[in-house]
Amino acid sequence: MITNRFFCKTNRQRFLLTAIIGLALLAVSIFFAIAYGAKQLPLNTVWQAIFAFTPQNIEHQIIHSVRLPRVLAAALVGAAFAVAGALMQGVTRNPLADVGILGINAGATFVVALSFVFIPFIPFTFLMVLSFLGATVTTLLIFMLGARSPGGLSPLKLTLAGTVIASLLHSLTSGIAIYFGLSQDLAFWYAGGVAGVEWPQLKVIAPIIVIVLICSVFIGKSLSILAMGDEMAINLGLNTKNIRIIAVMFALLLAGVSVAAVGSIAFVGLVIPHIARKFVGVDYRFVIPISAILGAVLLVLADLIARTIDPPKEFAIGVIVAMIGVPFFLVIARKEKRSL
């Protein structure tokens, strides 16, 4: 009992230290991401624009109308994708689980393509709803396909099922884009980016993401118990079915809203939860909030890199994140293969 209390106290201390450092790094990243881009702005101008905005100042207007909403969107969406990945890994007990790798993002993107064809002037709020529905249907298909395979559902089969569904949906989306001449419009959703996010979109996605992130933290204890195995969780009085449904719904909401806003960005939900566990252990009460912070930092820095590699041109954020995520995925997949 004393040992357990000691480790619990140690984990809390590590969590608090990591959270403080992560939040400080996020604040600095946001500050520099606002300052640097196609046009470099002095750091003191950024400070003044945030805390003493002057409407007549052109640079202040640039910061408030262009850079601030896109940087805040990058932070919110980074946190959303990271926590969605952590939730999916907790529910499936699959270290390879991620809304991008499992094909959930592909389902949302496919519905976005259909919306552009049949509802060309669709309101953003309605687009988010359809994106969520696309992610939900895709998730059901993936779990059904994995469960119907010989031997039942396993982490590897779930990943393979997600890969198959994602490939199919990407092919269908590409066919729709070519046939209906939507390649230019859908290029943004394929590669991912926050350049198109403005205050109206941010005001819609921010409350949803923040509320779901907070709710996700509250189910962290239940996810930690679920990670011990279904038999142990049931003996401890946990309703495993309800927790799985709630966690998956939270992940789908975060993924659907994020894809509607910035497109399909994979690997954030794969990389970040693993890094979070290195810092704070396997307790999801700590993993989820740290994943949110680190995910926000990753996407803010990815957006900064995308804008400063070759200004005024911009690289896609999805490409920057994939350069980190693909090697990470291969390392984890190799470890999983050894454990089978």
Side-chain angles (χ1 to χ4, degrees), residues 89-205:
Q89 290 174 17
V91 167
T92 62
R93 294 197 288 272
N94 178 8
L96 298 176
D98 170 48
V99 290
I101 295 173
L102 291 182
I104 298 172
N105 286 355
T109 306
F110 175 66
V111 173
V112 168
L114 290 178
S115 302
F116 282 176
V117 173
F118 297 106
I119 320 172
F121 301 104
I122 181 173
F124 180 71
T125 305
F126 191 37
L127 184 66
M128 283 198 311
V129 173
L130 292 179
S131 179
F132 165 71
L133 292 176
T136 302
V137 173
T138 304
T139 303
L140 293 174
L141 287 174
I142 291 167
F143 275 89
M144 287 173 58
L145 183 61
R148 290 176 66 86
S149 61
L153 193 64
S154 69
L156 182 58
K157 290 176 182 176
L158 187 65
T159 305
L160 292 174
T163 303
V164 170
I165 295 295
S167 299
L168 172 63
L169 291 175
H170 279 309
S171 299
L172 292 174
T173 305
S174 299
I176 291 171
I178 294 171
Y179 185 81
F180 291 97
L182 297 174
S183 299
Q184 187 74 23
D185 296 329
L186 287 177
F188 165 78
W189 269 270
Y190 274 126
V194 293
V197 179
E198 299 177 351
W199 285 114
Q201 291 90 347
L202 188 62
K203 289 178 181 178
V204 174
I205 68 171

Side-chain angles (χ1 to χ4, degrees), residues 77-82 85 98 265-273 295-296 298-299 321:
V77 170
F81 278 130
D98 170 48
I265 301 176
F267 297 109
V268 178
L270 171 70
V271 174
I272 294 301
L298 174 61
L299 226 59
V321 176

Side-chain angles (χ1 to χ4, degrees), residues 184-250:
Q184 187 74 23
D185 296 329
L186 287 177
F188 165 78
W189 269 270
Y190 274 126
V194 293
V197 179
E198 299 177 351
W199 285 114
Q201 291 90 347
L202 188 62
K203 289 178 181 178
V204 174
I205 68 171
I208 299 173
I209 291 177
V210 170
I211 290 171
V212 177
L213 288 178
I214 293 172
C215 293
S216 298
V217 173
F218 284 110
I219 66 169
K221 182 178 179 180
S222 297
L223 284 177
S224 297
I225 296 174
L226 190 64
M228 300 177 185
D230 284 4
E231 185 176 349
M232 176 70 75
I234 292 171
N235 289 335
L236 291 173
L238 184 70
N239 190 322
T240 57
K241 182 179 179 181
N242 286 349
I243 287 299
R244 281 196 169 93
I245 291 173
I246 292 170
V248 169
M249 289 301 293
F250 285 168

